[in-house]
């Protein structure tokens, strides 16, 4: 058995997700964070034994096996380029990315193993399947997706709402979207199918960011050493 820890780079380390990733990775002996990257030059160069780097210093980070990126859309391109150059894996949960960035992910997948997902929680993976089944079973019903998040969230509709919408489309529905930004809501997704005189409501509520961070760390463990390709969260569940 190989006991060498998987070396991680955490990109977006000072953010809400970055902090959850650092805390949970520290509890796992199979993982070792070798670099934490933040947007601006860090005030402290080493925090709890982890070296910090500014985004402008990415080229100089030490060797790592997988990068985990939860930053903002403009942060994705440089970390993707670094992973492609070094031939290492990338797990990205950054939402609100463009079609050109999706194309860049597809192209990099020819060289490295990577997974990009709008949501790393198991509950949302199940919700997506339920939405597709409901859409198939309820032809002609209205389909509305309402998502709520904290006031700091920049993109709308959320990436998760768009992923659920794709599932609804797969099932034959034509979803409409509504977004609420309020307080400190971590993430709620409500999918409503409305017929004549009846409604079906499906809902997922995240009460802790840890579900996304745990899913991303699991994906990183599964991705390390895999053949190049673009993987989905469900490909890495085992
Ligand atoms: P946040 O604003 O708290 O943190 C963003 C982090 O990114 C900060 O550390 C910031 O310094 C860094 N950053 C910004 N621009 C950068 C750049 N150009 N280069 C490097 N670093 C940069 O945000 P958050 O709540 O932690 O969310 C981060 C991202 O993850 C968002 O896109 C959010 O929608 C997404 N998210 C995804 C999931 C999922 O499961 N896929 C779950 C929660 C959040």
């Amino acid at each position: 058995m190989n006991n060498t820890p998987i070396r991680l780079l955490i990109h977006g380390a000072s953010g809400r997700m970055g902090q959850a990733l650092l805390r949970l990775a520290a509890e796992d002996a199979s993982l070792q964070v070798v670099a934490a990257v933040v947007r601006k030059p860090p005030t402290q160069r080493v925090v709890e034994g982890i070296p910090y780097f500014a985004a402008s210093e990415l080229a100089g980070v030490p060797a790592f096996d997988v990068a985990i990126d939860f930053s903002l859309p403009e942060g994705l391109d440089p970390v993707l380029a670094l992973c492609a150059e070094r031939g290492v894996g990338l797990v990205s949960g950054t939402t609100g990315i463009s079609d050109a960035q999706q194309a860049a992910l597809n192209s990099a997948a020819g060289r490295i193993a990577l997974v990009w997902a709008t949501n790393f929680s198991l509950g949302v993976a199940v919700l997506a399947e339920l939405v597709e089944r409901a859409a198939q079973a309820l032809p002609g019903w209205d389909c509305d997706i309402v998502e709520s998040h904290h006031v700091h969230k920049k993109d709308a509709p959320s990436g998760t709402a768009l992923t659920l919408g794709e599932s609804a489309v797969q099932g034959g529905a034509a979803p409409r979207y509504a977004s609420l930004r309020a307080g400190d809501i971590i993430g709620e997704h409500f999918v409503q199918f409305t017929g004549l005189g009846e409604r079906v409501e499906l809902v997922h509520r995240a009460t802790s960011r840890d579900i996304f961070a745990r899913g991303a760390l699991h994906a990183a463990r599964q991705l390390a050493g895999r053949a190049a390709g673009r993987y989905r969260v469900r490909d890495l569940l085992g």
Side-chain angles (χ1 to χ4, degrees):
M1 205 176 124
N2 183 2
N3 288 325
T4 314
I6 296 164
R7 296 166 300 175
L8 297 180
L9 176 146
I10 305 292
H11 193 249
S14 60
R16 285 169 284 262
M17 280 302 300
Q19 289 294 301
L21 286 160
L22 289 172
R23 175 170 46 79
L24 292 170
E27 295 170 4
D28 187 334
S30 72
L31 302 172
Q32 183 190 5
V33 178
V34 295
V37 180
V38 292
R39 190 161 58 88
K40 294 189 186 140
T43 42
Q44 258 184 287
R45 280 287 161 185
V46 179
V47 180
E48 290 175 14
I50 297 171
Y52 273 64
F53 298 85
S56 58
E57 299 165 337
L58 255 192
V61 297
F64 62 96
D65 301 305
V66 181
I68 304 184
D69 164 59
F70 280 80
S71 60
L72 292 180
E74 58 269 31
L76 175 61
D77 298 347
V79 74
L80 176 63
L82 177 75
C83 290
E85 188 190 306
R86 299 210 185 172
V88 297
L90 171 67
V91 173
S92 176
T94 297
T95 62
I97 68 172
S98 67
D99 291 346
Q101 288 177 307
Q102 288 288 359
L105 286 168
N106 286 334
S107 152
R111 295 195 50 204
I112 59 170
L114 64 88
V115 54
W116 174 85
T118 56
N119 197 304
F120 281 89
S121 97
L122 179 62
V124 164
V126 172
L127 177 61
E129 286 182 18
L130 295 174
V131 166
E132 184 173 341
R133 272 174 52 194
Q136 278 166 352
L138 305 168
W141 288 35
D142 286 328
C143 174
D144 292 278
I145 300 177
V146 183
E147 56 97 351
S148 307
H149 281 88
H150 53 86
V151 292
H152 305 291
K153 184 163 178 65
K154 298 217 166 101
D155 52 319
S158 68
T160 303
L162 295 172
T163 301
L164 293 170
E166 282 167 25
S167 300
V169 169
Q170 286 290 115
R176 295 174 298 207
Y177 300 92
S179 299
L180 298 176
R181 294 291 172 262
D184 62 353
I185 300 170
I186 289 178
E188 292 187 8
H189 292 85
F190 174 84
V191 185
Q192 173 177 277
F193 291 90
T194 311
L196 292 177
E198 56 183 330
R199 264 186 297 174
V200 172
E201 300 173 349
L202 299 169
V203 62
H204 178 271
R205 293 191 179 89
T207 52
S208 163
R209 266 178 200 94
D210 288 6
I211 57 172
F212 311 122
R214 275 202 197 90
L217 292 171
H218 176 76
R221 272 191 297 269
Q222 296 292 316
L223 214 57
R226 285 224 184 195
R230 184 160 177 177
Y231 295 87
R232 300 166 304 173
V233 173
R234 70 169 86 151
D235 300 325
L236 304 171
L237 283 180

